[in-house]
Structures are given as C-alpha cells and as structure tokens.
Amino acid sequence: MEHSKFKHSWMITMKKLAAWAVFTCLLLLTSPAAQAESIETLIKGLKSENPEQRIQAAEALKEMGPLAAPAVPALLESLHGKDLAVQHEALAALEKIGPAAHSAVPELVKLLENKDKARLHSGAIDALGAAMVTTGRRHFRH
C-alpha cells in the first residue's frame, strides 16, 4: 500500500513537471504579446484563494526566469501572505528572475530585517544576491 501511494505521488509530480516543461517551451516560442498574456494569467494565479494554484503560478514564473520580470510586484505581494510554501516559491522565482528583479531589492532588505520572517531569510538572501548581480551598475552607494 505504501509503495502504491509513493508511485501515485511520483506520477502526479512527473505529470506536473512535464506540463510545466511544455508550458515553458511554448512560452519561449510564442510572441511577446502571448508571453505577456501568460504572465498576466500567472499573476492572477498568484492571487488565487487556492494555495496550490499560488504555488504552481510561482513555480511557472520561476521557470520563465527573466521573462517573468513583470510579475515582480505580484511575487513581492505573495511574501506578505501566510502560506510558507507560497512564500518560498515566490522567493525562488525572484531569484531566477535575477537582475531583472532589481526593483525587489528594498522589499527583500526589509524582509531580512524582519525577525518574524526568519524562516524566509535564506531565500531572501538568494533572491537579493541574484537581483544585485549587475553588469557594472551599483544598486547602493557607499
């Protein structure tokens, strides 16, 4: 019975991964207008009442990398929710967006200053580091 549950869970995970891979490939092959529409759909998913939908939307945005830059404000909003899994996925998406998420830097710094959000600090550090990678520009002055 235990093996059956594991196999079922594994199959669901593989189906989700395959769906996201197809989605990502199609997104990369589509026009900028279609990409923008897809990003808007995922932003709506981030605001869903269903935590699983929010997680899936953040995961899809993470897979898009820098193309998901228009979703940065919505990802930052996700950090203020109560669902830890959603918050972790939002931070992972911000990390993958990289320097295109530079507008998130002040909010990520605030998150690091918040002791009540200590469980998110590691992800915030990763996202902050990725957002601050630049080609010669500086985000902060000494």
Side-chain angles (χ1 to χ4, degrees):
M1 186 71 167
E2 190 69 30
H3 177 70
S4 176
K5 285 182 183 178
F6 173 76
K7 184 177 178 184
H8 179 71
S9 175
W10 181 82
M11 288 177 64
I12 290 173
T13 301
M14 293 308 294
K15 286 179 183 179
K16 284 183 181 179
L17 287 172
W20 287 123
V22 169
F23 173 79
T24 302
C25 289
L26 290 175
L27 185 65
L28 293 173
L29 297 173
T30 59
S31 69
Q35 288 178 3
E37 188 175 319
S38 296
I39 291 169
E40 285 302 315
T41 300
L42 292 171
I43 289 171
K44 288 178 185 173
L46 285 174
K47 298 176 182 184
S48 169
E49 293 292 320
N50 181 333
E52 187 62 33
Q53 276 188 313
R54 293 194 307 270
I55 291 169
Q56 289 175 354
E59 287 173 342
L61 290 165
K62 175 177 66 177
E63 295 302 317
M64 293 173 65
L67 292 174
V72 168
L75 289 164
L76 289 173
E77 280 181 42
S78 296
L79 299 177
H80 298 291
K82 294 181 180 178
D83 191 306
L84 192 60
V86 173
Q87 293 169 329
H88 280 289
E89 284 303 324
L91 287 168
L94 289 168
E95 178 184 1
K96 292 295 183 183
I97 292 170
H102 65 273
S103 63
V105 168
E107 195 71 27
L108 292 169
V109 170
K110 284 182 191 174
L111 179 64
L112 289 172
E113 293 170 345
N114 186 341
K115 293 178 184 174
D116 294 335
K117 299 274 187 170
R119 294 198 291 179
L120 299 175
H121 286 182
S122 177
I125 289 168
D126 293 340
L128 187 59
M132 303 234 348
V133 172
T134 62
T135 54
R137 293 185 325 207
R138 289 190 177 186
H139 290 284
F140 294 111
R141 293 193 178 159
H142 297 304

